[in-house]
Amino acid sequence: MSRLVVSQNVINQVNYSLLIQEKNYINKYIIQGGRLVLSRLIAIDGNSILNRAFYGIMGSKMLMTKDGRYTNAVYGFLAIMFKVLDDLKPEYMAVAFDLKAPTARHKLYEGYKATRKGMPNELAEQMPIIKEILQAMNITIIEKEGYEADDVLRNTCKTW
């Protein structure tokens, strides 16, 4: 964690935390004991990363266990997540997932995602596995019926 000594003059002027949003993470600077302390939240759209991993690793043959369970999305998701953890060293991480229920966008526009193919079974069966792994790692999972993962993450980041 980065630490920076801040003069008392600055502390008197800044009496609340400062959020700086960069790409896919948010830096939150708070004052603790006369020091400006960096705290970092990584917010991940789980469905987006799982899809990217599933199709990115698929190639000509999908990865699977000896008993026939598909694992390419899980493997790719974890590879991406561990790279982010190593590079950015966040104090906090949250992963949001979409739920099957219609969202506000579906209610506003009947044709929203109408041309999109459904999630393949080979990917869908990996969803509970990645959630179980995230829970075992004590990583926050956020899901809210009626909202997509990116909407949930935007609200999480606003209130963090």
Side-chain angles (χ1 to χ4, degrees):
M1 184 181 335
S2 303
R3 295 202 180 267
L4 173 68
V5 176
V6 180
S7 72
Q8 191 61 44
N9 189 26
V10 172
I11 293 171
N12 291 339
Q13 293 174 18
V14 182
N15 59 4
Y16 53 89
S17 62
L18 168 69
L19 294 179
I20 298 177
Q21 185 167 359
E22 302 175 31
K23 294 190 181 180
N24 294 324
Y25 60 90
I26 295 182
N27 288 331
K28 182 176 185 178
Y29 296 90
I30 55 176
I31 297 172
Q32 289 180 344
R35 295 176 183 267
L36 191 62
V37 179
L38 168 65
S39 184
R40 184 170 285 163
L41 166 69
I42 302 294
I44 295 177
D45 181 329
N47 286 75
S48 175
I49 300 301
L50 271 176
N51 272 293
R52 173 180 275 178
F54 178 76
Y55 290 106
I57 293 177
M58 192 164 66
S60 62
K61 187 177 178 185
M62 286 193 269
L63 302 175
M64 61 176 59
T65 63
K66 288 180 182 179
D67 63 349
R69 289 190 299 170
Y70 296 101
T71 59
N72 55 314
V74 171
Y75 175 81
F77 182 98
L78 292 173
I80 292 167
M81 188 184 77
F82 288 136
K83 174 82 169 116
V84 168
L85 288 170
D86 285 345
D87 289 352
L88 301 176
K89 298 177 182 12
E91 286 74 24
Y92 308 99
M93 178 177 276
V95 180
F97 290 98
D98 300 337
L99 295 175
K100 270 192 163 186
T103 67
R105 291 183 184 127
H106 289 99
K107 293 172 186 170
L108 288 173
Y109 176 59
E110 193 173 309
Y112 181 66
K113 293 188 178 181
T115 59
R116 225 182 244 189
K117 293 180 184 177
M119 183 183 290
N121 289 337
E122 297 87 352
L123 174 56
E125 69 183 42
Q126 295 179 67
M127 190 74 74
I129 297 168
I130 197 64
K131 289 179 182 180
E132 186 179 323
I133 293 169
L134 292 171
Q135 288 172 343
M137 295 176 68
N138 205 26
I139 293 174
T140 301
I141 296 174
I142 306 170
E143 298 173 312
K144 178 96 172 121
E145 192 170 305
Y147 295 90
E148 293 184 5
D150 57 339
D151 298 321
V152 172
L153 291 174
R154 183 174 31 262
N155 288 332
T156 299
C157 293
K158 281 182 181 179
T159 58
W160 184 67

